[in-house]
Amino acid sequence: MDNPVKYPTPQGNPETKHFWDQAVEGKLLIKRCTACGEAHYFPRAICPFCFSDKTVWEESSGEGEIYTFSLMRKSATGPYAIGYVTLKEGPSLLTNFVDCDQTKLKIGQKVKVVFKTTDGPPLPFFTPV
Amino acid sequence: MSIKGKAYLAGIYEHPTRHAPDKSTSQLHAEVAKGALEDAGLSKADIDGYFCAGDAPGGVMAMVDYLGLKVRHFDSTDTGGCSYLVHLGHAAEAIAAGKCSIALITLAGKPRTGAMPPRATGAEVDFEAAYGATTHNVYGMCAMRHMHEFGTTSEQLAWIKVAASHHAQYNPHAMLKEVVTVEDVLNSPMISDPLHRMDCCVVTDGGGALIVTTEAIAKSLKKPLVRMIGHGEALKGPRGGKDLNLTYSAGVWSGPRAFEEAGVTPKDIKYASIYDSFTITVLMQLEDLGFCKKGEGGKFVADGNLISGVGKLPFNTDGGGLCSNHPVNRGGMTKIIEAVRQLRGEAHPKVQVPNCDLAVAHGTGGLLGVRHAASTCILERV
């Protein structure tokens, strides 16, 4: 889990505390609304689709595919690949692709979650399967 | 109720500077306000409405005090680079409703020679901040997906920069006046795939201002009459990550609203100011506004179709953000100003569109691939 880049520490709040507690356990959580059935990410107490407060935590498989990406060629911490992953469970999320040859990424490529350390709870990143 | 024909653009001013180490940001706001008032033939005491966004130091309260204004209506909506297009729409609404009669809108700042204020964050911050979303890579992600779905090419994107450079050669204030080729763009360094350096806009100090007023007041002044006939605004974000689609922007909603209110279609437009933070921004906006079908933007912009006097849709005849000016990394203001110049017949003779009586000024703000706004203004010469 060690990584050369120092990532910002998630600050958390009462609405998202459970997400970060479970991230410590290596689990990627999403929220699902039991009223409309839709899953969403990042987690909200109230469903952004039907506005029901009947949202529940669900563990994601952590598997998905690359929707799009862009390789930032220069930064203070070196090149990095930002992109969106569409999870098997439906929602897409913003992330970075790590532990791989970033010049070989492709839209549609299968990826899985990998957590990286911060000074607090770890953050989800994705790496090609 | 509609704003159609209710508000007139009586004064415009674009600061000639692109590099202002010897001025303060508040001072630049005052200088552009003064310039727009002089252009209109009005004085500061006439202003009774004021609009500014996140670039204004201290916000609307500090700015009104600093400028010495006395206003009865104000608005500090901040939607990044398109804030001023939103302000123009809101100013038209306020004028139509009688809430003010002479509105001032200002933009100014110094990204070249000073610090930029941090981007505002919301509930997403813990879930996104670590991934380093910047303008370059977020617009890069849009371009990458557009290429994947529609076969859009880097060569097609490059034509947008080429067209802007053809216009910028005639603008004495343009930061980049050199005419470039498609090859020049493709040979410039890759910044964030698939966007090259020349796919990116310039970073400039500077600013601009507008005076918006009633029909009666505009007719008492000396400038050619230019009025608002349609406005639309919209917001778009990942919205919980459902059905993510980065190939279109909030322009698909702001554009039709503006065209419907104006009672015109994209086919009627003689000149288009389209926010060009990146080449891909223009391509997507042209599709979203209906100048061509979704996915056909690449073909539409190729072969000089955006060059005044050459193509079918002259765009950004001042050189735009890609070549001329992009004060405070916010391009909405200069889009309106060049559209008014075209409608007045005050654009450079080499790029002036003959009998230009209908124009669109459109832009996005925020991060196109994440959360952003879009605003569309349809302007008419009376």
Side-chain angles (χ1 to χ4, degrees):
Chain A
M1 296 249 295
D2 288 342
N3 43 280
V5 180
K6 188 165 173 63
Y7 296 111
T9 303
Q11 298 302 303
N13 61 44
E15 190 180 16
T16 63
K17 181 176 184 299
H18 188 64
F19 177 93
W20 298 112
D21 288 348
Q22 291 297 295
V24 172
E25 307 297 322
K27 293 176 181 173
L28 176 66
L29 296 192
I30 59 173
K31 267 283 184 91
R32 189 176 295 279
C33 174
T34 58
C36 71
E38 293 284 353
H40 70 264
Y41 188 94
F42 55 92
R44 282 99 154 152
I46 294 188
C47 174
F49 308 115
C50 75
F51 232 39
S52 164
D53 61 1
K54 304 285 187 285
T55 57
V56 294
W57 294 103
E58 177 177 309
E59 186 177 351
S60 163
S61 62
E63 297 171 11
E65 61 179 55
I66 298 176
Y67 171 79
T68 191
F69 67 96
S70 183
L71 175 56
M72 188 78 171
R73 298 296 182 105
K74 281 185 190 172
S75 85
T77 54
Y80 61 95
I82 189 172
Y84 278 99
V85 165
T86 303
L87 294 172
K88 269 187 174 174
E89 295 78 18
S92 298
L93 54 87
L94 191 68
T95 191
N96 287 169
F97 301 108
V98 295
D99 305 339
C100 63
D101 180 351
Q102 296 169 333
T103 64
K104 300 269 168 61
L105 295 170
K106 293 266 183 276
I107 288 175
Q109 192 171 358
K110 304 286 185 205
V111 291
K112 65 176 184 188
V113 73
V114 51
F115 283 90
K116 295 287 175 184
T117 54
T118 74
D119 288 342
L123 283 162
F125 288 73
F126 283 79
T127 193
V129 174
Chain B
M1 196 171 104
S2 164
I3 56 112
K4 187 175 181 178
K6 302 273 175 60
Y8 285 65
L9 277 134
I12 54 169
Y13 184 75
E14 179 181 4
H15 206 296
T17 193
R18 304 291 186 264
H19 185 240
D22 54 342
K23 294 178 190 292
S24 79
T25 295
S26 297
Q27 177 186 4
L28 288 168
H29 276 268
E31 289 182 2
V32 295
K34 196 172 167 60
L37 281 168
E38 284 169 6
D39 181 66
L42 292 165
S43 67
K44 182 167 74 75
D46 297 320
I47 295 167
D48 62 355
Y50 178 60
F51 295 70
C52 64
D55 54 281
V60 71
M61 290 186 282
M63 285 306 303
V64 163
D65 176 60
Y66 173 84
L67 295 169
L69 300 175
K70 196 172 178 187
V71 298
R72 61 190 174 106
H73 188 82
F74 47 84
D75 183 336
S76 55
T77 302
D78 188 77
T79 52
C82 70
S83 298
Y84 321 92
L85 291 147
V86 171
H87 292 168
L88 180 54
H90 293 186
E93 291 165 16
I95 285 163
K99 298 292 183 186
C100 61
S101 59
I102 299 179
L104 167 69
I105 307 171
T106 65
L107 152 80
K110 314 198 324 158
R112 285 196 85 77
T113 56
M116 283 286 287
R119 194 177 289 279
T121 55
E124 77 288 348
V125 63
D126 278 346
F127 299 92
E128 294 183 5
Y131 307 122
T134 69
T135 48
H136 311 85
N137 58 46
V138 161
Y139 288 70
M141 288 195 294
C142 292
M144 193 71 87
R145 187 71 199 187
H146 203 282
M147 289 176 166
H148 175 78
E149 288 198 24
F150 306 115
T152 306
T153 65
S154 290
E155 286 80 1
Q156 290 170 334
L157 289 176
W159 270 108
I160 297 168
K161 167 72 174 185
V162 170
S165 77
H166 272 264
H167 299 148
Q169 66 179 313
Y170 303 112
N171 181 350
H173 302 300
M175 186 164 163
L176 305 174
K177 298 185 190 71
E178 190 184 343
V179 174
V180 302
T181 65
V182 167
E183 289 68 32
D184 291 334
V185 180
L186 300 185
N187 290 332
S188 66
M190 189 66 83
I191 300 297
S192 197
D193 299 63
L195 300 177
H196 302 78
R197 179 177 290 161
M198 286 193 189
D199 287 299
C200 308
C201 59
V202 298
V203 175
T204 52
D205 296 346
L210 310 170
I211 300 288
V212 192
T213 190
T214 64
E215 179 178 0
I217 294 171
K219 285 183 171 170
S220 74
L221 302 171
K222 294 194 177 71
K223 291 289 177 180
L225 294 172
V226 172
R227 65 183 181 183
M228 280 279 280
I229 58 169
H231 176 245
E233 60 193 37
L235 302 163
K236 181 172 179 267
R239 203 169 162 261
K242 186 185 176 188
D243 301 331
L244 186 74
N245 189 333
L246 263 53
T247 67
Y248 72 92
S249 75
V252 296
W253 302 306
S254 71
R257 284 171 195 155
F259 281 108
E260 184 184 357
E261 183 167 43
V264 300
T265 71
K267 282 196 178 69
D268 302 317
I269 296 292
K270 303 272 182 68
Y271 164 79
S273 274
I274 308 288
Y275 189 8
D276 50 348
S277 48
F278 297 89
T279 51
I280 184 64
T281 323
V282 176
L283 187 142
M284 281 174 59
Q285 302 310 297
L286 289 170
E287 293 174 347
D288 292 347
L289 293 177
F291 285 100
C292 61
K293 285 186 188 151
K294 180 52 63 182
E296 294 183 0
K299 266 185 270 177
F300 186 83
V301 302
D303 304 323
N305 199 36
L306 302 179
I307 301 175
S308 186
V310 175
K312 289 198 179 109
L313 184 70
F315 100 124
N316 298 5
T317 42
D318 56 348
L322 287 167
C323 296
S324 171
N325 197 12
H326 190 220
V328 212
N329 305 340
R330 289 164 172 254
M333 174 63 75
T334 45
K335 297 296 153 291
I336 301 165
I337 291 172
E338 182 66 5
V340 174
R341 288 193 195 110
Q342 280 286 352
L343 292 166
R344 285 180 175 179
E346 292 178 355
H348 191 283
K350 294 281 193 185
V351 296
Q352 175 68 50
V353 176
N355 189 31
C356 186
D357 54 4
L358 188 67
V360 61
H362 170 88
T364 56
L367 297 174
L368 199 61
V370 193
R371 292 167 194 82
H372 69 270
S375 181
T376 313
C377 296
I378 313 285
L379 306 175
E380 174 186 67
R381 188 189 65 213
V382 180

